[in-house]
Amino acid sequence: MSAVYEVINPANEQSVKKVDLADLAATDAVIEKAAKAFESWKKIAPSDRAKLLRAFAQVVSDHREELAKLEVTNSGHTIGNALWEADNVANVLNYYSAAPERLFGRQIPVANGIDITFKEPLGVVGVIVPWNFPMPIAGWGFAPALAAGNTVVLKPAEYTPLTAVRLGELALKAGIPEGVFNVIVGKGSIVGNRFVTHPKVRKIVFTGSTEVGKGIMAGCADQVKRVTLELGGKSANVIFADSDIEKAAAAAPGAVFDNAGQDCCARSRILVEKSAFDKFMSAFETAVKKFRVEEPSLATAEMGPLISKKQLDAVQAYLNEPVAFTGSAPTGAGYWMAPTVLLPKDTKAKSWNEEIFGPVVSVMTFDDEADAIKKANDTEFGLSGSIWTNNSGKAIRVARAVESGNLSVNSNSSVRYWTPFGGYKQSGLGRELGPDALDSFTEVKNVFIATDN
Ligand code: NAD
């Protein structure tokens, strides 16, 4: 171990714990351990692997409060969110526990024999996680990877290692064999990069910034390593005049300020039809002022602090456009910031184009359906978005036209563990969750068996 990182509680700047950061040799050792464990894990009977995943899910559920409290302290997540996040890990494990017995191949008609396909595991899968949702994003990678018969090396983000380390311990407690699910804490440039360069890691699941993701994709090219990328976003919340404006406005703060805006799905660009602008802004101001930013362990908290001083400074650098109004936030120790609503002068504004990853939203008007689609698509990203209208034909037309992986109509909900999640354009590559995710953790092997001998 070469270095130590001090975990800080972002709500009060108190030291929580010191963790050792792995060096290159420790990373290589854990990859070798996972590669060795793969030899036996891939041979475990499907029903036994399913049982182990269900046992893991149960142990996570049994520790949901402990995990949630750890996340509140480490990441500043509200306790309500953190409990959902722990439950999400258990739900994703339960969902994919049904997979080992259902990894069907095909039988394809051929002359003089039988042709069958198998879905074979890849080997060691490297999962690299960002700091904004440490538990769910880890689970979206490791649960389908393990279900498909792979072993996993998982690296949490430097800021937020604590729940990942605990999940590693809980896996062992549930009976997952040693070496199958490995959590290793360290720097992206050392541990994460070694996942990319080590030939025994056969696939990378990366969630994080578009910039780092591009480097990982380039690094994987060297070994034609499989890669799934979940990257940044700058999603639009499109509000038509014929929608329930009160409802859209009441829901809009949660759609962007949840997790202090540190959410790749944050609807950080609100597009309102011109004729509804005044009505929307008045209801939106009421909702933003009511949005509770407070000590995250309180059950009433809707938003906690940002993750770090660095993130707070980076977010505040975007506050150079006219401010429509703000909510409130605690003062004193901690990386607190009030939810802020900007009215950018035009679509060239930095705050309109870049992912801010903080509690800042920009509002702009549009003229008609075509203008709404044009403005929604005028971004390099395409992760999520919302469409508010009471005209179902328009809802479908706009949903089909917006270049984004996860859209919701008259709702801001993007994530369900049983439906696919992922981005268009520079928001990513591949899909996580849902039934299709397993395809990216398996190779299709085709076998022809001659019957004419
Ligand atoms: P980041 O890209 O800085 O780091 C993400 C992870 O990659 C961390 O674990 C980090 O240690 C590691 N890393 C850094 N450099 C590396 C390298 N050279 N090689 C290998 N690994 C490396 O991102 P972040 O600041 O932790 O997270 C915020 C970003 O994540 C935002 O852009 C956000 O939009 C994105 N995100 C996307 C999704 C999604 O599903 N699309 C979900 C959550 C977050």
Side-chain angles (χ1 to χ4, degrees):
M1 298 291 170
S2 60
V4 166
Y5 176 77
E6 186 169 15
V7 175
I8 303 291
N9 181 335
N12 57 23
E13 299 176 51
Q14 303 279 308
S15 171
V16 177
K17 194 174 179 171
K18 289 191 172 133
V19 290
D20 292 326
L21 298 177
D23 60 13
L24 212 51
T27 312
D28 280 353
V30 92
I31 293 169
E32 289 296 344
K33 190 173 164 193
K36 191 158 175 274
F38 175 62
E39 293 311 315
S40 44
W41 181 245
K42 70 179 175 188
K43 292 184 195 136
I44 287 185
S47 58
D48 290 339
R49 202 186 308 142
K51 255 186 231 157
L52 283 166
L53 291 173
R54 285 195 289 271
F56 189 5
Q58 186 58 52
V59 173
V60 170
S61 286
D62 294 344
H63 291 78
R64 68 190 287 272
E65 299 214 349
E66 179 203 329
L67 285 163
K69 282 185 187 150
L70 207 52
E71 204 64 277
V72 173
T73 310
N74 189 165
S75 309
H77 290 194
T78 63
I79 184 69
N81 278 9
L83 285 165
W84 181 92
E85 290 159 18
D87 289 343
N88 183 260
V89 175
N91 287 334
V92 174
L93 279 164
N94 269 325
Y95 178 75
Y96 286 109
S97 74
E101 293 147 316
R102 293 171 178 79
L103 275 178
F104 305 125
R106 295 169 190 259
Q107 176 266 315
I108 301 171
V110 288
N112 307 320
I114 296 170
D115 194 282
I116 46 178
T117 65
F118 295 91
K119 290 201 175 162
E120 303 281 16
L122 305 170
V124 179
V125 172
V127 181
I128 303 174
V129 181
W131 46 258
N132 61 331
F133 286 109
M135 281 193 279
I137 291 174
W140 303 358
F142 72 70
L146 296 175
N150 305 284
T151 54
V152 168
V153 288
L154 183 143
K155 192 199 88 63
E158 288 86 329
Y159 287 131
T160 54
L162 300 186
T163 48
V165 169
R166 189 69 184 122
L167 286 170
E169 293 164 0
L170 295 178
L172 291 174
K173 189 176 165 122
I176 301 284
E178 186 76 40
V180 168
F181 175 51
N182 309 276
V183 177
I184 175 162
V185 176
K187 288 190 172 168
S189 56
I190 297 171
V191 179
N193 186 54
R194 188 61 182 141
F195 289 2
V196 174
T197 59
H198 199 300
K200 286 193 183 165
V201 177
R202 293 292 166 79
K203 181 193 164 92
I204 299 288
V205 181
F206 172 80
T207 306
S209 59
T210 298
E211 192 191 343
V212 174
K214 286 178 186 173
I216 288 190
M217 191 173 175
C220 285
D222 198 40
Q223 295 165 25
V224 197
K225 191 170 288 194
R226 277 69 179 134
V227 61
T228 301
L229 302 173
E230 299 288 0
L231 309 175
K234 190 73 188 174
S235 298
N237 191 355
V238 182
I239 296 158
F240 286 96
D242 64 9
S243 68
D244 183 338
I245 297 287
E246 298 286 337
K247 195 173 167 195
V256 60
F257 302 138
D258 185 57
N259 205 29
Q262 303 164 123
D263 181 341
C264 50
C265 289
R267 274 72 168 162
S268 54
R269 294 185 301 150
I270 297 181
L271 283 161
V272 191
E273 192 162 1
K274 221 171 241 163
S275 59
F277 181 75
D278 291 342
K279 187 175 174 194
F280 173 80
M281 287 304 270
S282 155
F284 186 39
E285 180 166 7
T286 306
V288 170
K289 295 216 181 296
K290 271 202 323 217
F291 203 70
R292 296 183 71 113
V293 183
E294 58 189 355
E295 163 55 38
S297 57
L298 296 172
T300 48
E302 291 176 287
M303 182 181 131
L306 279 82
I307 188 68
S308 65
K309 173 80 168 68
K310 189 173 163 217
Q311 187 66 9
L312 179 61
D313 291 345
V315 172
Q316 287 189 331
Y318 283 97
L319 303 184
N320 50 12
E321 294 290 320
V323 174
F325 45 83
T326 69
S328 58
T331 50
Y335 312 123
W336 296 97
M337 180 174 166
T340 302
V341 179
L342 301 180
L343 291 172
K345 289 190 267 310
D346 55 49
T347 56
K348 292 196 177 59
K350 232 166 110 80
S351 57
W352 184 254
N353 289 289
E354 294 181 12
E355 181 181 49
I356 299 176
F357 228 54
V360 179
V361 68
S362 300
V363 187
M364 208 173 273
T365 59
F366 63 87
D367 298 325
D368 54 19
E369 190 177 320
D371 190 34
I373 293 167
K374 185 166 164 262
K375 285 189 170 129
N377 284 339
D378 184 20
T379 167
E380 68 204 25
F381 297 113
L383 190 58
S384 69
S386 301
I387 299 148
W388 294 80
T389 172
N390 281 331
N391 176 331
S392 56
K394 190 196 280 180
I396 292 168
R397 282 195 306 274
V398 177
R400 296 296 301 270
V402 173
E403 298 160 345
S404 171
N406 312 274
L407 290 162
S408 39
V409 174
N410 297 328
S411 153
N412 297 312
S413 144
S414 309
V415 174
R416 286 155 300 270
Y417 57 83
W418 63 99
T419 59
F421 178 81
Y424 273 40
K425 302 193 276 188
Q426 294 192 31
S427 284
L429 190 72
R431 291 293 178 272
E432 298 193 289
L433 300 177
D436 305 323
L438 289 160
D439 287 343
S440 51
F441 292 101
T442 49
E443 291 284 6
V444 175
K445 181 181 284 173
N446 192 70
V447 177
F448 170 74
I449 305 160
T451 52
D452 58 357
N453 50 0

